[in-house]
Structure formats: structure tokens, C-alpha cells
Amino acid sequence: MRVKIDLTASLAAAEGEGGKRDGDALTAAAAADEMPGMPMENGVREAREGADVVKAVDSQMPNGAPASAVVNGVAPPDQTRIAIEGSDGMPPQSSLVNGNDLKMSEAPSTDGAMDVRSESPPYIKPVGSGQYKDLSELTARLVQETFNELAEVIHAMADMTLSPNNAHGPGYGQGNAATNGSSHAQIAIQKKSRLMDFVQLRRAQFIKLLVLAQWSRQTEDVSQAINLLQWLRTQAMMNEEACLELGRLKLSLGPAKLPNPDLATALEVLSTGKASWLPDLGYIPPQPLSAKEMLKTLRNINTLLSIRLNLHDELPPHFSSFTIDSGRATFHVPDEFEVDLSIADEDPASQLYFIDIRFLFTPFDPDVLKGRLRDEIEAKANDVLKRDGLGGCYDFLHELVLTHKINALRRQAEEMSRGKWAESIRLEMVRRTLVVQYWLNRPGGKSWIEIGIRSGGKKFGRGGSTQRTSAIAIWWRREGKEVKDAAIELQLARLSMDGILKHVIALHTNHILRSIRDRLLEKPLYANRTLLLVLRMSTVEPVHSSLQLQLTSSRTAKLVIESVGGRFALQPASLRFSQTEHVLNGLKDPAAEAYGHLSNLRCLVAKEEIETRARCVGWEQLRTLAPRQEDMKRVFPRETLQVSYFVRRGWSSRWIVAVSVGMGGEDWWIIELLVDGHDRRGLDTDHGSLPAAVGHAFGDHQRIPVGPGSSKPVDPTYDFLCRLGKVSAGMILQYVNVRALGQARVEHSLRAARPSPGSGKVAMPALFIRFSSLMAHGSRRRLQAWAREVLKVTFRGVASSSGVATVVTEARLIQPRLFNAVHERVDDDIAFQPDTGAFAFRIRTPVGEPIVNHLRERLVRIERLILFLRVVRRFQLPCERLSLGRVTFRYSTTPPLRATVGFAGETPMTLELEAGNPHLRIADFLARLLNAKGTDANGLEHVALLLGVTLPLFQALDEIEASAAAATPARNVLILPRAADWLQLRYEAPRAVFDIRLRQRRDEVKWFISEDGGAAGAASVAKPPALAEKLRALMGERREAGGGGNGEGWMGLRTGIVAGVRGVAEAVRRIDAVVREVSVAGPENAQPAAS
């Protein structure tokens, strides 16, 4: 069994012993202190049994060190361990929680043979060991504190010196030594006093520490004493708490006590119908009235009431409508109540009495008109009638009805807040004013209504006299602003909070939708009724209010506002509409801001519709084009909200078509792209994705007139988009051509023209160019004008598959007869009209590329063709094939010989001869002559002349060459062309060289044949004597054409031969015969003569 020790006697002994050791001062101080063994406020601390470490309480000293357990006191030296309780002396809170008593159980038994509950004392729970502190820690803190204070005392004593004023005061130097000596003595006394105070205080602290150290030697007994003291205090506290709980229980059972029933009285009343103990006052009951008497009495009362109300009483204006029947006057107040009043005396000044009241509105609480509350109303009404008459009765009943109406609306609002309006409305009752806030989850200002009583709200009276009375009124604050001119109708006869709230929300919805409609009507699309806006408003049901917007010709949207939450909804549902709904539901002021987002929605829908249809008809959309903002502001109108960019396959990489979508309609543009020196291939299209270029800049641009007068937007149908491709291609071609002509300084002009086939309904202007100015721009030398000055260039459409545009140029020749020689179609791209001299040719070019160079090249071809036709006419050469690039003609019938001249604009002309043609020897010389500088198309005339003049000669040379090759042995004959009109004929055996040249003499073309270049070079080649003799004989002859000699058309000049065009063949043959004859005669004749 563990023993607990009472420390009271030990404390007294400690104090006495301490007094003996420390003197009377310490005894007094120890007597004033408490025993350091009480638990702290956080509970009793449990001592660890058998521990060698001494612990004490942790209380704070001013310098941070723990206070000692005993203040100015001593304890018995034979104790070992001690604990300190809380400062309030109460047990720890853990010992008693909510009145639960401390459970005492038996001490643990090792053998289990003893019955703890019957024989052993109750088990006492020890104080927790965690509430003790080590004595060593207390000692260390006390030593540290003593050291710190000692240092402070030493510094303070060092500062106790005479000040300079005192050391060198007025007596200095005058022998005032006595005064200075007394000052030093006082300072010494102060220092000693300060040191003694410190020592005495520290001594008391160390005495306490000594007492604690002596107590620590009896740790087990001290711990048991502390546990016992804690247990006793806990038991006392539990007893007090039990007494208090019993008292509270007794007081709480008083109202529940019922009196004993009076069974005797109840039995008597139930059996006899009366109680014998009740006193009998002896009243005589009145005789019951008959039906006639009752009717007569009621009629008399009716008469008295009629006289009194019409003659004597001053009725309030609100009681002006009343009826008298069945002995009562019934006053009727519309939408509020009917009250029945009657009299009990014939005196007109007597009081009227309340009979009954009926409410004239629904719904109302029926409990108000029955039971105890009805009796209270009757008593209050009779009291008011007695004091204030009918006017006071009306005021009382009127205020009662108004309050009851507001309460009825409040009850309905509470039911709504628990139903479908949950988390959408908030209620608040401020005196007799009901505040209902709606659309809680919408951003922006709050909206609410206030239903209350407004004094002097209605006017009553007849004629000039009026009187105001209170009435139910409603105030509406819409998004934080009071709406003063709102016509809110209150149905006071049939109260409906749901109807009132829906009515207000409907007005709010109508305001938002009407504001949006008005802002949209300021836009041209809706102002001009190009697109329709239909506003439907309802003042009863908010969902019946809607704004129908026509976004495009094929798509409409219906904007509604959900009544409960105030959220916008767009119908029909779609992804695009849901995104706009999310934006609209986040606006703080939708009435002022929603129109902008709806405008953007309209433009987005129009843009998507255009893009979808454009892709179906072959347009490619540029998705990654990122133009600069300054370019977009420069090109597109300010009201533009959306922009899309398109291009057609086959177009130039520098031109695109853009559509700017705004609230004024859709504008179409052709734009030239400048992509930092790059073309559009750096962009992503529908048919391919390439790395996107950056820094796209807009160059030249022009608006496409798509509508009648370009004032009314055009519906982007499939047919329109197809025609748009042709119109935009034509405008781009005209623009680049006009720009190219301006840069080349070629005179031109644009004139209106009729719609051309393939250009749609829009008439593309025709481009008129001055012919001479265009042809003079080239570097080649031209002949005189062969066509009239006006060239008409018109756009004729674009191929849908390849995107290549077709341009037709029309002109007229100055001499129409030039085309008479053309009996067949020259080319697929050119057409001639021989009768009028008109001609037209077609040019195919990518859209965006200028045709000025192609036009000039085509005109050069036609010019050459015309000049060739002149040559053909002059030389009467039959044309076998004629086109803008090639001319094939026949210049010999026997044998049939043909020549083909190819020409392509400014490029050099080519001459093609068939295999076996004699003129193949000089084909290169003929080609040079054909393209000789300064000859232009006259080169063909020279070639045609040479072909005819040289044909007999070359035929003869072919025969000579063929006979030499066929001879046995073969003879070596060389024909060396030097030019088109100059060649050499060389023989090896015998050696001979002949020069053959074509020269003009006396307006005639003659061939001159000389030996080795004529007289200048006659001696350069040594000839055999026989050959020289024969040649002198040949060159001495003369044979005229048509004469009877051996030679025909040639004549010898002793040093050479001159021959005509046809006679040169015979002359060459005669020379070849002479050389062949000398060669056959023998080698000796073939040897050259000695020089």
C-alpha cells in the first residue's frame, strides 16, 4: 500500500528551522510563502519513482530563470522530491471533465489473491512525471541569474562617482575639503548598501535552493504526499459539483410538475351537469325572442345605423363604401378587408362595436381570423372605436392588413428559396420591408426589390378634399441603381411573390434585350434592314421575352435570359454559341456591353459561312497569314471585326483576296502581299502546310465592287463566290497591267465596257493602249505603223481548274488586204477578219502577272507575220503553213523545196530546211542574214531572194559533187561557202580554185566567177599549162541567154565569167568539164606549169 503524507506539519517545521538558521527576517519571509508542492494549472505532475534526478516546478523569473518552489521559506531537510500546484490552487483540468468523477481502482497486485475492491484502499493516480523539472536546471538558472545581477551591481557601483560639477564646484581651489570628503563618504555608503541588498536577496534564494535540495532526499514520501493531496482536492471538487447538479435538476423539474386531478368535481359535472360548489347569483334569464321580434329588432338597428352613419358620424374616405343589413354595417375596402360594425345604444354618440372581419385578398393565414388572435383583434378594434372612432378603426385594420400581406409575401418567398429559386434569391426582412435580391450569381451590380409600406401613398376624397393613407409599395434597384420610372404592377387582391418577382425580372430582361436591340440598330446591317432584328417582350413571363437576330441570310440566333439565374442562352445550341454565352454571362453590364460580343458573333458566323462555301468552290484559305496591325488599319475599314484571306490555285504568289466582315457588311479586297522579300509559299493553305513566314506586309490594295453600286451587301452564295473568282482575277490583271504600262510610260486608259463572257454580271472595264507607244517601248527597230493606234484589251475569264486567266486583245490593220493571202486559220489563239482587217489574239497568263511583255511579244509576232505575208506576196511563194510562230513556204516546185522560218517575239528567228536541200550548205549564213541587225523582218525578204537566186547554182554544184564522187577514180572537189552569196570551188588534180560571188550590176544581180579570187589572186595558184590554156579559151567566149552558142546566159571576161541567175549553172558545169577534161588527158597535163 502506498502512503500519502500531509505536508502541512512539514512545512511548519521547515519554516521554524529556517527561522533558526536565517534569522527573524527570513522567518517572516518564509511564513508568507506557500508550500511548493501544489499542481500547476495544466494539471498534476507525476513524479518518476526511483529516479535519481531531482525535479522542480518551471515558473518564470524576470530574467528568464525558473523561480524556486518555495519563496522565502525553508522545508524539512529529510524530504526528497516536490511539485508545485497552479497559482489558483485548483486541481488540474484533466482530473474532472464535464462532471465525470475520478475512477478509483485497485492497485495492481502481483499475486492476484487479494480482493482490491473489498479489502484494499482506493488506488490514487500519481501525478505525471512530465510536470517535474530537474533540480540541476533550477540550480544552473539561479547561478546564471546571480552572475548576471552581480555584473550589473558592479557596473552600477562603478558609475557611482562624483560628477565634474561636484568635483570642481564653487569650493574648488578655495580649500573646501570638508565638503568633498562628505560627498565621497555618502557614495561609499550607497555602494555598500547596494552590495548588501544584492547579497541578502541572493542569500534568500540560495537558502530556498538548499531547502529544496534537502527535500529532494525524500523523493518517494514527498511524491506520495503530493498525490494524496491532489486526490483529496479532486474528491472535494466532485462533491461540490454533484450538489450543484442536483440543485439544477430540481429547478428544471418545476415546470414539468402537474397538479393532481380533481376527480370529484369532474365526476359531478359529468353526471349532473353542474358543480354544487359554484355560487348561484340568482340571475333571471331573459325570455327568448321570437322570429318577428328578432326581425323587428334588426330592422330598428338598421334604421339607427343608417341615420347615424348618414347624419351624425363623419365617415373616413376609406369607409365611404358600406352596406347595412342584419343589424350591422359592413364597410368595404377594396383589396383589403370587410369589417362588420354595430351599435348597442340608440344614442348617436355611443360607441360602435366590432362584429366580424373578412380579408378580401388571397392567400392569407386563416388562423388570424379565429381563436385567440381573433379575440385580440376584436378587443383592440373595440378599444380603438371607443377612443378614435371609425377613422382609428380603419387605420388599425388597414395597418394590420398591410402587415399581413407583407408577411404572406415573405412566406411565399421563403418557400421559393427552398424550391427552384434556391441559391438564386436572398431574403431579408427589415422591419416591415421585405427585401428580395435576385440573380445572385451574375457579376456586376446587385439587383433587388423592396416591398414595404409607404406612408401617404394613396389619395382619397371627393371634390377638393383629399387624404393620403399608407399603402404597399415596391422599390426596384436594377444593378445597383434605383429605377424610378418602372411601371411595376402589384396585384394586391391576389398576392403572388412568384408573380411579382417574375414581373420584375421580365422588366429587367426587357430592358437588357431592348438596350441590345437599340445598340444593334445603330449598325448599318440592321439599320438598313439588310438583316432583321425581332424583339419579343413579355411583362409576365421572362422566358417569353427574346431577341431574334439574323446573323446571315441563312442563319439566325435567338437570345433569351433564363429567369431564375439570369444567364444568357443562345438558340439553337452550338459550340460557337456556347462560347458567346460564356462571354455574355461574364459581363458586368450586359445592357451596355453585350451588343459588341453579339456583333462579333455575327461576324464570326458570317466568316465561317464564307470560308466553308469558299472552300467548296475552289478557294484556298490562308490560315497563318499574320499582317501587321498598321497595314490592317490602312486597308480595312474601322468597323471591321473579322478578316479572312483566300487565294486561287494558279494565281501569282503575290496576290490574295481578303474579306473584311463588320457590322456594315462584307467588303472584298484584292491585296498585294509583301512578305519581307518572300512570296506566299511561306503560308499555310487548305491544301498544304508549310513553315509560316513572318512580317507579312500589305502592298497595293483595291476594293472589289461586288454589289449594285457597292452599297448593299451581297449574300455570299456559291454562285457569287464563283463569279468573285473571275471578277477578282480580272481586277488583279487590270491592276498589274495598268501599273506595268505606267512604269513603262505607255499611253493607256480604262473605259467602261459591257459584261464580257465569263466575267459575271459585273462589267469589267476595258484597257485601251496606244499601239505606237507600246511598240516604241521595245529596243528593236520597227517598220512604219501597220496597225491602228487603239488596242483593246479585255478580260475573258479564268480557268477554274488551272487558275490561268484569258485576256483577248483586239486591233485593226491599216491595210486590210494583207490578210487576203490567209485562207486558213493561222493559230488557235489568233483570228483574222480579211474583209475588215480586224484581228484578235488570246493570251493566257497566271493571275497577278502583267501581260505587257506577252502583248508586245505577240504583236511582234503578228508584225513579222504581216511582213512575211508581204514577202510571200511579193515573191509569190506559196505558203503551206502559217501561224504566229512559224511560216512554211515552197520556193521551188521542181524539185519541191520548202523552207520554214520560226519566230517568237523578240527572240532570234530560225530557218529550217529539209534534208537534201541544196541550201543546207549556206543555212547558217541564211539564218544570220535572217536576223541581221537593222534588217528586221526584211531579212526574210533577203533570204527569199537568195533562195531563188542561188538555187540554180547550188543545184549545179550538187551535180558536180555527185559526179566527182561517182568518177573512177574519184575526183577531189571541194565546195567551200564563204557567205550566203560567196563560195569557192576547189580542185586538187589538176589544182584549181574558182571564186563564185553574187554581185549587183546595173540593177541586175549577176554571178561573177574568177580564178582564185580574180585578178588579185590569180597567180597564187599554179595551174597546168593545158588547164590554163583551156580556161583562157573558155573565159574568152560569150554566150548570151537565149543565144545559139554553147554557153547560155554567161559571158567570158578573159579573167573571169559573169553569168545570170540561170546561166551560172551552165558556166559552172563548163568549168567543171574543162577541169575534168584536163584531168582525164594525163598526169603530165595535170602538172602545174613552171614558173
Side-chain angles (χ1 to χ4, degrees):
M1 176 179 180
R2 303 178 66 180
V3 180
K4 303 298 179 180
I5 302 174
D6 191 356
L7 299 181
T8 307
S10 301
L11 179 59
E15 291 176 352
E17 184 178 356
K20 293 177 181 179
R21 289 195 301 263
D22 302 331
D24 296 338
L26 294 179
T27 303
D33 293 337
E34 295 182 358
M35 171 63 193
M38 309 307 291
M40 297 296 289
E41 59 183 359
N42 58 350
V44 178
R45 303 184 179 183
E46 180 179 0
R48 185 183 306 167
E49 297 185 10
D52 296 334
V53 182
V54 180
K55 300 182 178 180
V57 174
D58 183 15
S59 60
Q60 299 296 327
M61 295 294 291
N63 59 352
S68 62
V70 178
V71 181
N72 296 331
V74 294
D78 299 330
Q79 305 300 325
T80 58
R81 196 175 283 185
I82 191 167
I84 301 176
E85 70 172 347
S87 60
D88 56 355
M90 296 299 292
Q93 297 178 0
S94 60
S95 62
L96 182 61
V97 180
N98 295 333
N100 295 331
D101 57 348
L102 182 64
K103 295 182 179 181
M104 294 180 295
S105 60
E106 59 187 21
S109 177
T110 56
D111 54 2
M114 183 173 56
D115 188 1
V116 177
R117 287 176 293 181
S118 61
E119 298 180 4
S120 302
Y123 171 74
I124 299 177
K125 183 179 179 181
V127 178
S129 60
Q131 300 183 14
Y132 291 95
K133 293 295 182 181
D134 292 339
L135 183 61
S136 61
E137 183 179 354
L138 179 62
T139 304
R141 290 186 180 183
L142 182 58
V143 171
Q144 182 65 37
E145 180 185 1
T146 302
F147 176 79
N148 295 337
E149 289 189 2
L150 178 60
E152 293 178 0
V153 169
I154 292 174
H155 289 296
M157 293 172 62
D159 295 336
M160 292 180 182
T161 58
L162 288 175
S163 63
N165 294 332
N166 294 331
H168 305 282
Y172 181 75
Q174 299 178 3
N176 195 1
T179 304
N180 294 335
S182 62
S183 299
H184 284 289
Q186 293 177 359
I187 292 174
I189 294 173
Q190 291 178 1
K191 290 181 179 180
K192 294 178 181 178
S193 176
R194 179 68 180 272
L195 181 60
M196 291 302 296
D197 291 341
F198 165 73
V199 172
Q200 184 178 3
L201 179 61
R202 291 295 96 190
R203 179 175 177 274
Q205 295 294 332
F206 277 98
I207 289 174
K208 296 176 183 179
L209 181 62
L210 177 62
V211 172
L212 291 176
Q214 292 175 351
W215 277 102
S216 64
R217 297 188 182 95
Q218 300 178 3
T219 305
E220 181 67 24
D221 296 337
V222 173
S223 177
Q224 292 180 358
I226 292 174
N227 295 339
L228 179 59
L229 179 62
Q230 176 65 26
W231 181 81
L232 291 174
R233 289 185 175 182
T234 303
Q235 294 299 318
M237 187 174 182
M238 292 173 60
N239 292 334
E240 293 178 2
E241 185 67 23
C243 294
L244 293 176
E245 186 66 24
L246 290 176
R248 287 192 294 267
L249 179 61
K250 181 179 179 181
L251 293 177
S252 63
L253 292 177
K257 184 183 295 185
L258 296 177
N260 296 328
D262 189 359
L263 299 180
T265 303
L267 182 60
E268 182 180 1
V269 171
L270 292 176
S271 59
T272 62
K274 60 182 180 178
S276 59
W277 56 271
L278 290 175
D280 187 5
L281 301 179
Y283 289 122
I284 300 175
Q287 295 292 330
L289 296 178
S290 63
K292 291 183 179 181
E293 291 175 342
M294 292 178 62
L295 180 59
K296 182 179 178 181
T297 301
L298 292 177
R299 287 177 178 175
N300 291 336
I301 294 175
N302 292 340
T303 302
L304 293 174
L305 284 173
S306 178
I307 294 173
R308 178 172 178 171
L309 295 177
N310 287 291
L311 298 179
H312 300 283
D313 288 346
E314 183 178 357
L315 299 181
H318 321 288
F319 278 176
S320 59
S321 175
F322 65 90
T323 59
I324 300 175
D325 191 15
S326 300
R328 65 184 69 185
T330 302
F331 295 93
H332 178 79
V333 180
D335 299 337
E336 292 188 12
F337 62 88
E338 284 183 349
V339 60
D340 296 337
L341 303 179
S342 186
I343 59 175
D345 197 343
E346 295 181 359
D347 186 2
S350 62
Q351 174 187 351
L352 292 172
Y353 290 92
F354 176 87
I355 304 298
D356 195 9
I357 186 174
R358 293 172 297 279
F359 290 158
L360 300 181
F361 60 89
T362 58
F364 61 87
D365 187 3
D367 295 335
V368 177
L369 303 181
K370 61 182 179 180
R372 183 176 177 180
L373 185 56
R374 198 266 183 194
D375 296 339
E376 292 289 342
I377 295 175
E378 181 179 356
K380 182 65 175 177
N382 289 329
D383 182 62
V384 171
L385 285 171
K386 182 178 180 180
R387 289 185 291 104
D388 302 327
L390 291 175
C393 180
Y394 168 76
D395 293 338
F396 165 67
L397 296 178
H398 175 67
E399 295 296 330
L400 173 67
V401 168
L402 295 184
T403 304
H404 188 72
K405 285 184 176 182
I406 293 177
N407 288 331
L409 293 175
R410 178 183 59 82
R411 288 192 297 270
Q412 293 180 8
E414 290 175 351
E415 294 178 359
M416 291 168 57
S417 64
R418 294 188 292 267
K420 69 175 184 178
W421 296 85
E423 300 182 359
S424 297
I425 60 174
R426 180 180 295 134
L427 311 178
E428 185 177 356
M429 198 72 185
V430 183
R431 296 182 181 178
R432 288 199 299 172
T433 301
L434 175 62
V435 180
V436 181
Q437 181 185 351
Y438 61 93
W439 291 357
L440 300 180
N441 299 322
R442 277 201 60 85
K446 298 179 181 179
S447 301
W448 72 88
I449 57 174
E450 300 175 6
I451 303 176
I453 298 175
R454 179 169 53 192
S455 60
K458 294 183 179 180
K459 291 183 179 181
F460 292 94
R462 297 176 182 177
S465 62
T466 60
Q467 183 177 356
R468 293 182 177 272
T469 183
S470 59
I472 292 181
I474 183 170
W475 295 270
W476 179 24
R477 289 189 176 272
R478 183 179 61 211
E479 298 172 358
K481 300 178 182 179
E482 184 178 0
V483 183
K484 298 182 179 181
D485 55 349
I488 303 177
E489 299 179 0
L490 290 177
Q491 300 293 336
L492 299 179
R494 184 175 182 85
L495 300 177
S496 175
M497 190 64 212
D498 183 77
I500 294 175
L501 190 57
K502 284 185 177 180
H503 176 52
V504 173
I505 292 177
L507 295 178
H508 197 165
T509 301
N510 294 341
H511 165 72
I512 294 176
L513 297 180
R514 183 169 52 248
S515 300
I516 296 174
R517 190 271 314 267
D518 294 341
R519 297 298 294 272
L520 289 177
L521 282 177
E522 298 175 0
K523 306 301 178 181
L525 276 177
Y526 295 106
N528 300 333
R529 301 186 65 83
T530 304
L531 299 178
L532 299 180
L533 282 175
V534 180
L535 176 61
R536 295 183 176 89
M537 295 189 297
S538 172
T539 59
V540 178
E541 190 63 42
V543 296
H544 293 165
S545 299
S546 64
L547 177 62
Q548 188 169 356
L549 304 90
Q550 185 180 6
L551 304 179
T552 63
S553 60
S554 59
R555 294 194 64 180
T556 58
K558 183 179 181 181
L559 179 65
V560 297
I561 300 178
E562 188 259 327
S563 59
V564 176
R567 299 182 63 84
F568 286 92
L570 282 168
Q571 301 171 354
S574 67
L575 178 60
R576 178 65 65 188
F577 286 2
S578 64
Q579 295 172 352
T580 305
E581 288 177 8
H582 178 72
V583 175
L584 293 178
N585 290 323
L587 298 178
K588 293 184 177 180
D589 188 6
E593 302 174 5
Y595 85 97
H597 298 281
L598 291 175
S599 300
N600 191 43
L601 172 64
R602 185 264 154 194
C603 295
L604 280 173
V605 172
K607 174 186 174 183
E608 291 176 353
E609 186 175 272
I610 292 173
E611 291 174 352
T612 302
R613 295 180 178 179
R615 287 192 294 267
C616 294
V617 297
W619 289 92
E620 297 180 8
Q621 183 182 357
L622 300 178
R623 298 184 180 275
T624 59
L625 181 64
R628 297 178 299 186
Q629 290 296 326
E630 53 269 23
D631 288 341
M632 297 188 67
K633 293 179 180 179
R634 176 174 56 89
V635 174
F636 303 121
R638 293 182 58 185
E639 62 273 9
T640 299
L641 298 178
Q642 298 293 329
V643 180
S644 289
Y645 305 96
F646 302 95
V647 72
R648 292 297 291 260
R649 184 177 302 176
W651 283 21
S652 171
S653 60
R654 298 175 59 88
W655 288 92
I656 63 172
V657 171
V659 54
S660 60
V661 185
M663 294 306 292
E666 292 77 40
D667 293 326
W668 296 85
W669 308 82
I670 55 173
I671 301 175
E672 185 179 16
L673 274 187
L674 305 176
V675 195
D676 293 345
H678 303 285
D679 57 17
R680 202 193 65 248
R681 288 175 294 178
L683 304 175
D684 294 342
T685 64
D686 295 331
H687 297 278
S689 179
L690 299 175
V694 295
H696 305 104
F698 288 164
D700 297 333
H701 64 280
Q702 187 174 0
R703 186 174 178 273
I704 303 175
V706 294
S710 300
S711 59
K712 185 177 181 181
V714 178
D715 184 21
T717 60
Y718 293 102
D719 179 65
F720 166 78
L721 293 173
C722 292
R723 291 187 288 107
L724 179 69
K726 300 174 182 179
V727 174
S728 58
M731 291 185 63
I732 293 173
L733 281 174
Q734 284 187 349
Y735 189 86
V736 297
N737 289 330
V738 169
R739 185 171 62 182
L741 291 172
Q743 294 174 353
R745 298 183 179 181
V746 177
E747 299 181 22
H748 64 280
S749 64
L750 284 174
R751 300 177 186 176
R754 295 180 180 180
S756 58
S759 63
K761 298 180 180 180
V762 179
M764 298 295 298
L767 179 62
F768 292 88
I769 304 174
R770 183 177 293 276
F771 174 76
S772 59
S773 178
L774 176 64
M775 300 305 290
H777 179 67
S779 61
R780 291 178 59 88
R781 180 181 177 183
R782 302 294 174 191
L783 297 178
Q784 294 182 354
W786 52 270
R788 299 187 183 275
E789 282 295 325
V790 179
L791 295 177
K792 181 181 180 182
V793 180
T794 57
F795 171 71
R796 294 301 179 90
V798 60
S800 58
S801 58
S802 61
V804 177
T806 301
V807 178
V808 175
T809 303
E810 301 176 17
R812 189 181 297 273
L813 295 177
I814 298 177
Q815 298 178 359
R817 293 177 298 175
L818 291 176
F819 288 151
N820 293 336
V822 182
H823 301 288
E824 59 182 6
R825 189 176 184 85
V826 174
D827 195 280
D828 293 338
D829 292 333
I830 189 170
F832 294 96
Q833 183 65 32
D835 298 336
T836 61
F839 66 94
F841 55 88
R842 180 171 54 194
I843 299 176
R844 292 184 176 90
T845 180
V847 176
E849 298 294 338
I851 65 168
V852 176
N853 294 331
H854 299 284
L855 180 61
R856 186 185 295 112
E857 185 265 344
R858 191 64 60 88
L859 290 174
V860 170
R861 287 189 183 188
I862 296 176
E863 178 185 12
R864 288 178 174 177
L865 178 61
I866 293 175
L867 296 177
F868 292 167
L869 290 177
R870 290 178 179 175
V871 173
V872 168
R873 249 172 104 183
R874 179 178 177 183
F875 292 95
Q876 298 180 353
L877 299 175
C879 292
E880 295 187 354
R881 185 179 179 185
L882 189 63
S883 67
L884 289 180
R886 299 169 68 87
V887 174
T888 302
F889 56 90
R890 188 172 64 250
Y891 62 91
S892 174
T893 306
T894 307
L897 297 176
R898 300 177 181 83
T900 300
V901 178
F903 52 92
E906 300 288 343
T907 60
M909 293 181 288
T910 61
L911 179 65
E912 299 178 7
L913 301 174
E914 298 175 348
N917 193 309
H919 288 96
L920 286 175
R921 300 177 185 275
I922 59 172
D924 294 338
F925 298 106
L926 293 176
R928 293 176 188 175
L929 182 62
L930 189 64
N931 295 285
K933 185 176 181 180
T935 59
D936 201 21
N938 293 330
L940 179 61
E941 183 177 355
H942 297 161
V943 170
L945 178 62
L946 283 176
L947 287 176
V949 169
T950 60
L951 178 59
L953 173 62
F954 282 103
Q955 287 178 342
L957 293 176
D958 285 347
E959 295 175 2
I960 293 172
E961 191 176 31
S963 62
T968 305
R971 293 183 299 111
N972 192 359
V973 179
L974 296 179
I975 302 173
L976 302 177
R978 299 292 185 181
D981 55 354
W982 176 25
L983 54 87
Q984 285 184 348
L985 179 63
R986 290 177 177 269
Y987 293 93
E988 294 296 333
R991 187 175 183 183
V993 179
F994 300 95
D995 240 6
I996 306 174
R997 290 192 177 189
L998 181 65
R999 294 179 179 177
Q1000 187 174 2
R1001 184 180 182 185
R1002 297 178 183 177
D1003 297 335
E1004 292 182 353
V1005 177
K1006 298 292 184 178
W1007 285 102
F1008 290 86
I1009 304 174
S1010 62
E1011 293 183 73
D1012 195 15
S1020 61
V1021 178
K1023 295 184 288 297
L1027 179 60
E1029 183 66 23
K1030 290 183 178 292
L1031 288 177
R1032 282 195 297 269
L1034 177 63
M1035 293 180 182
E1037 298 181 2
R1038 180 175 181 177
R1039 295 288 183 266
E1040 297 293 339
N1046 295 330
E1048 182 180 4
W1050 60 274
M1051 181 178 62
L1053 300 176
R1054 289 188 297 178
T1055 59
I1057 298 174
V1058 60
V1061 174
R1062 297 186 178 276
V1064 68
E1066 181 62 24
V1068 171
R1069 292 189 185 98
R1070 290 290 303 273
I1071 292 173
D1072 180 72
V1074 170
V1075 175
R1076 187 171 60 250
E1077 181 181 355
V1078 173
S1079 172
V1080 173
E1084 63 278 3
N1085 296 327
Q1087 294 299 324
S1091 56

